[in-house]
Short mmCIF file of all heavy atoms in Angstrom, two decimals:
data_model
loop_
_atom_site.label_atom_id
_atom_site.label_comp_id
_atom_site.label_asym_id
_atom_site.label_seq_id
_atom_site.Cartn_x
_atom_site.Cartn_y
_atom_site.Cartn_z
N VAL A 28 105.44 130.37 76.89
CA VAL A 28 104.84 129.80 75.69
C VAL A 28 104.48 130.88 74.68
O VAL A 28 104.87 130.82 73.52
CB VAL A 28 103.59 128.96 76.03
CG1 VAL A 28 102.90 128.47 74.76
CG2 VAL A 28 103.96 127.78 76.92
N ALA A 29 103.70 131.87 75.12
CA ALA A 29 103.22 132.91 74.20
C ALA A 29 102.80 134.14 74.98
O ALA A 29 102.44 134.06 76.15
CB ALA A 29 102.04 132.39 73.36
N ALA A 30 102.83 135.30 74.31
CA ALA A 30 102.36 136.54 74.91
C ALA A 30 101.66 137.38 73.86
O ALA A 30 101.94 137.26 72.67
CB ALA A 30 103.52 137.32 75.53
N ILE A 31 100.78 138.27 74.32
CA ILE A 31 100.01 139.13 73.43
C ILE A 31 99.84 140.49 74.07
O ILE A 31 99.59 140.59 75.27
CB ILE A 31 98.65 138.47 73.08
CG1 ILE A 31 97.91 139.24 72.00
CG2 ILE A 31 97.80 138.30 74.34
CD1 ILE A 31 96.73 138.46 71.41
N SER A 32 99.98 141.55 73.28
CA SER A 32 99.82 142.90 73.79
C SER A 32 98.36 143.21 74.07
O SER A 32 97.46 142.44 73.73
CB SER A 32 100.40 143.91 72.80
OG SER A 32 99.68 143.86 71.56
N TRP A 33 98.11 144.38 74.65
CA TRP A 33 96.76 144.74 75.10
C TRP A 33 95.72 144.68 73.99
O TRP A 33 94.57 144.30 74.23
CB TRP A 33 96.79 146.16 75.69
CG TRP A 33 96.98 147.23 74.65
CD1 TRP A 33 98.16 147.66 74.12
CD2 TRP A 33 95.95 147.99 74.01
NE1 TRP A 33 97.93 148.64 73.19
CE2 TRP A 33 96.58 148.86 73.11
CE3 TRP A 33 94.56 148.01 74.12
CZ2 TRP A 33 95.87 149.75 72.31
CZ3 TRP A 33 93.84 148.90 73.33
CH2 TRP A 33 94.49 149.75 72.44
N SER A 34 96.12 145.07 72.78
CA SER A 34 95.18 145.13 71.67
C SER A 34 95.17 143.87 70.81
O SER A 34 94.31 143.73 69.94
CB SER A 34 95.53 146.32 70.77
OG SER A 34 96.80 146.12 70.16
N GLY A 35 96.14 142.99 71.05
CA GLY A 35 96.31 141.84 70.19
C GLY A 35 97.17 142.12 68.98
O GLY A 35 97.37 141.23 68.15
N GLY A 36 97.69 143.35 68.87
CA GLY A 36 98.47 143.73 67.70
C GLY A 36 99.87 143.14 67.65
O GLY A 36 100.47 143.11 66.58
N SER A 37 100.39 142.72 68.79
CA SER A 37 101.72 142.13 68.85
C SER A 37 101.65 140.82 69.59
O SER A 37 100.98 140.72 70.62
CB SER A 37 102.70 143.07 69.56
OG SER A 37 102.84 144.29 68.87
N THR A 38 102.35 139.81 69.07
CA THR A 38 102.42 138.51 69.73
C THR A 38 103.84 137.99 69.69
O THR A 38 104.64 138.40 68.85
CB THR A 38 101.49 137.48 69.06
OG1 THR A 38 101.85 137.34 67.68
CG2 THR A 38 100.04 137.92 69.16
N GLU A 39 104.14 137.08 70.60
CA GLU A 39 105.44 136.45 70.64
C GLU A 39 105.28 135.00 71.11
O GLU A 39 104.43 134.71 71.95
CB GLU A 39 106.38 137.20 71.59
CG GLU A 39 107.81 136.67 71.59
CD GLU A 39 108.76 137.57 72.34
OE1 GLU A 39 108.63 138.80 72.23
OE2 GLU A 39 109.64 137.03 73.03
N TYR A 40 106.10 134.10 70.55
CA TYR A 40 106.00 132.69 70.85
C TYR A 40 107.36 132.09 71.16
O TYR A 40 108.38 132.53 70.62
CB TYR A 40 105.41 131.92 69.67
CG TYR A 40 104.02 132.34 69.29
CD1 TYR A 40 103.80 133.33 68.34
CD2 TYR A 40 102.91 131.75 69.90
CE1 TYR A 40 102.52 133.72 68.01
CE2 TYR A 40 101.63 132.14 69.57
CZ TYR A 40 101.44 133.13 68.62
OH TYR A 40 100.16 133.52 68.29
N ALA A 41 107.34 131.09 72.02
CA ALA A 41 108.55 130.30 72.22
C ALA A 41 108.86 129.53 70.94
O ALA A 41 107.96 129.13 70.20
CB ALA A 41 108.35 129.32 73.38
N ASP A 42 110.15 129.31 70.68
CA ASP A 42 110.54 128.60 69.47
C ASP A 42 109.90 127.22 69.38
O ASP A 42 109.58 126.74 68.29
CB ASP A 42 112.06 128.46 69.41
CG ASP A 42 112.76 129.77 69.11
OD1 ASP A 42 112.10 130.71 68.62
OD2 ASP A 42 113.97 129.84 69.35
N SER A 43 109.70 126.58 70.52
CA SER A 43 109.18 125.23 70.55
C SER A 43 107.73 125.11 70.07
O SER A 43 107.28 124.02 69.73
CB SER A 43 109.29 124.65 71.96
OG SER A 43 108.56 125.44 72.89
N VAL A 44 107.00 126.23 70.05
CA VAL A 44 105.59 126.19 69.65
C VAL A 44 105.27 127.02 68.42
O VAL A 44 104.12 127.00 67.96
CB VAL A 44 104.66 126.61 70.81
CG1 VAL A 44 104.93 125.77 72.05
CG2 VAL A 44 104.81 128.10 71.12
N LYS A 45 106.24 127.73 67.88
CA LYS A 45 106.00 128.55 66.70
C LYS A 45 105.47 127.70 65.55
O LYS A 45 105.98 126.62 65.27
CB LYS A 45 107.28 129.26 66.27
CG LYS A 45 107.67 130.43 67.14
CD LYS A 45 108.94 131.10 66.63
CE LYS A 45 109.32 132.29 67.49
NZ LYS A 45 110.59 132.90 67.06
N GLY A 46 104.44 128.21 64.90
CA GLY A 46 103.83 127.50 63.80
C GLY A 46 102.79 126.49 64.20
O GLY A 46 102.07 125.96 63.34
N ARG A 47 102.68 126.22 65.50
CA ARG A 47 101.70 125.24 65.99
C ARG A 47 100.68 125.85 66.92
O ARG A 47 99.51 125.45 66.91
CB ARG A 47 102.41 124.09 66.70
CG ARG A 47 103.37 123.31 65.82
CD ARG A 47 103.86 122.05 66.52
NE ARG A 47 104.61 122.36 67.73
CZ ARG A 47 104.25 121.94 68.95
NH1 ARG A 47 103.16 121.21 69.12
NH2 ARG A 47 104.99 122.25 70.00
N PHE A 48 101.10 126.80 67.75
CA PHE A 48 100.21 127.43 68.72
C PHE A 48 99.89 128.85 68.28
O PHE A 48 100.70 129.50 67.61
CB PHE A 48 100.86 127.48 70.10
CG PHE A 48 101.03 126.15 70.78
CD1 PHE A 48 100.81 124.96 70.13
CD2 PHE A 48 101.42 126.12 72.12
CE1 PHE A 48 100.97 123.74 70.76
CE2 PHE A 48 101.58 124.91 72.77
CZ PHE A 48 101.36 123.72 72.10
N SER A 49 98.74 129.35 68.72
CA SER A 49 98.34 130.71 68.41
C SER A 49 97.64 131.33 69.60
O SER A 49 96.69 130.75 70.14
CB SER A 49 97.40 130.72 67.19
OG SER A 49 96.99 132.03 66.88
N ILE A 50 98.11 132.50 70.03
CA ILE A 50 97.49 133.23 71.13
C ILE A 50 96.59 134.32 70.55
O ILE A 50 96.92 134.96 69.55
CB ILE A 50 98.55 133.83 72.08
CG1 ILE A 50 97.90 134.44 73.31
CG2 ILE A 50 99.43 134.85 71.36
CD1 ILE A 50 98.90 134.85 74.39
N SER A 51 95.44 134.53 71.17
CA SER A 51 94.52 135.57 70.75
C SER A 51 93.75 136.08 71.96
O SER A 51 93.81 135.49 73.04
CB SER A 51 93.55 135.04 69.68
OG SER A 51 92.76 133.98 70.18
N ARG A 52 93.05 137.20 71.78
CA ARG A 52 92.27 137.73 72.89
C ARG A 52 91.01 138.41 72.40
O ARG A 52 90.94 138.89 71.26
CB ARG A 52 93.11 138.72 73.72
CG ARG A 52 93.50 139.99 72.99
CD ARG A 52 94.52 140.79 73.81
NE ARG A 52 93.96 141.25 75.07
CZ ARG A 52 94.69 141.61 76.13
NH1 ARG A 52 96.02 141.53 76.08
NH2 ARG A 52 94.09 142.03 77.23
N ASP A 53 90.01 138.45 73.26
CA ASP A 53 88.75 139.13 73.01
C ASP A 53 88.53 140.06 74.18
O ASP A 53 88.08 139.63 75.24
CB ASP A 53 87.61 138.12 72.87
CG ASP A 53 86.30 138.77 72.49
OD1 ASP A 53 86.14 139.99 72.67
OD2 ASP A 53 85.41 138.04 72.00
N ASN A 54 88.86 141.33 73.99
CA ASN A 54 88.78 142.27 75.10
C ASN A 54 87.35 142.51 75.56
O ASN A 54 87.12 142.81 76.73
CB ASN A 54 89.45 143.59 74.72
CG ASN A 54 90.96 143.50 74.74
OD1 ASN A 54 91.53 142.57 75.29
ND2 ASN A 54 91.61 144.49 74.14
#
């Protein structure tokens, strides 16, 4: 579905959820 790097600086999404889902993190 989605992935995020250690700092949150890079993200990637499956085509099926792009524009609708958002991944984030609070270290």
Side-chain angles (χ1 to χ4, degrees):
V28 175
I31 188 167
S32 63
W33 71 276
S34 65
S37 298
T38 58
E39 185 170 321
Y40 299 92
D42 288 342
S43 60
V44 305
K45 285 181 179 177
R47 299 190 298 120
F48 291 10
S49 179
I50 187 171
S51 62
R52 66 189 296 159
D53 185 341
N54 284 345

